[in-house]
Amino acid sequence: MSQTTRTHEPTSAPGARATVDDAPTTPVAVQRRQPQGRMLKILPWIVTPSLVILIIVAWQLYVTLGDVNPFVFPPPAAVGQAFVVLVTDPATWAELGITVSEILIGFAVAVILGVIVGVVLGKLPWLELSIRPLIVISQVAPKVAFIPLFVIWFGFGMTSKIVLAALLAFFPVMLNVLLGVRSVEQGQREVMSSLNASRAQTFTQLELRSLQPYLFAGMEVGIVLATTGAIVGEYLGGSEGLGAMVVRAMNSLDAARTFALILLLALIGLVLYLIVNEAKRFFIPWHESVYGLRSET
Amino acid sequence: MSRAVRPPATSRRRKNARVATALLAAGALALTACSTGGAPAASDGDEQETELTKMLVVTFLPLESFSFTPEMFAYSGGYFEKHGLDVQLQPVQGTAAAIQALLGGATPITRASTVDVFPAMEQGQELRSIGTMAYKSNLRVASTEDNSITSTADMEGATIGMGSLGGTSEKMLDLALGADGVPLDSVTRQAVPVTGATMEVVRQGQLDGYIVSLDTSLAIAQQNDDAVVDRAGLTDAPDIQTWITTADNLEDPELVEDLEAFLAAIDEAVQDVIDDAPNDFENVLQTLRESGDWSFPALEDDQVAVEALKIYTTETWVNEAADVRLLENDLEAWQTTYDTYVDAGLLQGGKDPQEWITNDYVPGD
């Protein structure tokens, strides 16, 4: 983090670190950093489109020069055309609605359960120690292998996909919350104690606010995994949603449509991630991960 | 079994062959030493081993099914090696993936149903059928006595499960429904695990029935007293499972030689399975079981195994009209199948399907 960041960081907010260097930044230093700040602001608008164009050009060259069969790897123009057809079809939006609903519901369940379990385990180290092997086992178990069973247990509708999305998103949220609860500095606890704060007050005023950055870190990973879970659930055991559309397109040997659907799914994942990221900026503007980036740009 | 590439048996056999060769060589050396007073052996054991041509063959599903008996038996019975091939069998998920693997050059040959391969052929893909593996479909519908499905009419308004949406099962269902005048959209399709466990979902009423392979249908019928397993009109629709390659491959003389050797090995293996029928396939099952290469419930169950192999050897791998020999493409049936698909709206029509087929590489008499 730069000096500029630390200089502007509010010290009153819980969870914020004490300022190391409170000396005002000199005008010269500010002037020196302004061009860099502007550059950082416009960098994504230059680099990302450039990379996209580069990838498309390389893709086109590869399929043209390599004489690649379009059934195996379609050219970008065919995928673009299929993408336009896809997004202008009302049926796609109906399926998209199903997929997004599964992702959001699964993610919400994961966040709620993740916070509850994370806080409980964070505050009860003996319990966390006792069940740690189970936590690790359940985290490393290949959950995708359970999809056929989920379909049988939870039915063919949205429920089985929501369960998978929630299951995948749960652990990063829970583990980050647990870490957040454990990361509250002893000194801050002592301050609360010296102010005669009750346990509830300590929790709401200190712990809950302190763990927010950790929670959002978990949520950023969780939303990506929830998206993956819902899509894989549809892919392996569904008849609705974009995942099922991918299966149909693949079975029809329609490679361009398959690629277009994958592109659409990737965009959905990106949008959902950005929403969570924006929520983080909104809820914890005081945290270094948000404030630091903002002052840099 | 679902290992990606399958070298063990070949390696094992090779190792055994090497050990045997080494022992023979050692024995010969000892005898030579005795007879010639210790003259060095003239030949090296490794030189006696025939060099096998490596060949990666893609299968559209994992091999744990009697549907793949030709490949499994040719592999474990040493038929591929006899024909100079070191075949590795690589399963992929679904026929579409198998066709893509072929077109992408990952495999020189695979097998696929006409219902899946005709659309690609019609779109101009240079695919060629060089032999027929199955002259008809073996799909069955599993349901319960309370709500049995034994015809396409029973499926109207029903929810039918299948392994994959848009795949072979759904296309065959569409063909069967269309042929009987049942509206296609009157049947709800649902992707389900095509295992015996799904019967529970049928009992719960979430599904009315589901499409399964022959092996699974026999196992379901055996394990569930209330199960009804029926062709339900699915096998009435024409479907030919053919060995396919690309036109480019057929222009490569070396590859053609390998393809012919592959078909010859399959042909011989299938003929031996058929010949083992009076013996209740005891030799075939013994070879498959003792090889240790395969492990799936149907293989260990004598009743299911014999029943399945009976159907394959009498209805599936042989032409019931008996006017074409093993693996030979039935040109008339090929044309009829194409016309049926065109009539059903599955294909646009207007092509000559005979251009996509050849009997030049099928083993001769």
Side-chain angles (χ1 to χ4, degrees), chain B residues 31-42:
Chain B
L31 286 171
T32 312
C34 290
S35 61
T36 61

Side-chain angles (χ1 to χ4, degrees), chain A residues 159-179:
Chain A
T159 314
S160 51
K161 289 84 186 175
I162 290 170
V163 169
L164 186 67
L167 202 59
L168 287 182
F170 168 76
F171 286 101
V173 175
M174 186 272 284
L175 289 176
N176 275 281
V177 169
L178 190 152
L179 183 65

Side-chain angles (χ1 to χ4, degrees), chain A residues 69-72 147-149 151-157 161 234-240 244 247-248 250-255, chain B residues 94 96 99-100 103-104 116 119-120 123 125 163-167 170-171 189-193 195 197-198 200-201 204 206-207:
Chain A
N69 192 315
F71 267 50
V72 179
I147 293 175
L149 288 175
V151 169
I152 293 171
W153 295 342
F154 303 112
F156 301 119
K161 289 84 186 175
E234 290 173 347
Y235 188 91
L236 293 177
S239 54
E240 293 178 315
V247 177
R248 282 188 188 278
M250 284 176 67
N251 281 334
S252 308
L253 278 169
D254 193 341
Chain B
I99 294 172
Q100 283 170 325
L103 290 170
D116 294 307
Q123 286 174 48
Q125 290 299 317
S164 180
L165 298 175
E170 188 172 6
K171 288 171 188 162
R189 296 105 203 276
Q190 176 64 54
V192 296
T195 63
T198 305
E200 197 51 45
V201 185
Q204 290 167 7
Q206 292 186 59
L207 271 184

Side-chain angles (χ1 to χ4, degrees), chain A residues 114 116 120 141 163 167 175 215 265 271 274 290 296:
Chain A
I116 293 170
V120 170
V163 169
L167 202 59
L175 289 176
L215 170 62
L265 287 167
V271 168
L274 290 175
V290 177
E296 286 285 350

Side-chain angles (χ1 to χ4, degrees), chain B residues 1 60 86 88 123 126 129-130 137 156 160 162 169-170 190 205 231 238 246 260 272 276 284 299 303 322 341 362:
Chain B
M1 189 162 61
F60 59 85
D86 175 8
Q88 293 181 337
Q123 286 174 48
E126 294 290 315
S129 166
I130 57 171
S137 166
E156 193 163 356
I160 301 295
M162 55 200 67
S169 300
E170 188 172 6
Q190 176 64 54
R231 294 169 193 259
T246 62
E260 285 177 330
D272 283 355
D276 200 27
V284 174
L299 178 62
Q303 196 182 333
Y341 293 176
V362 175

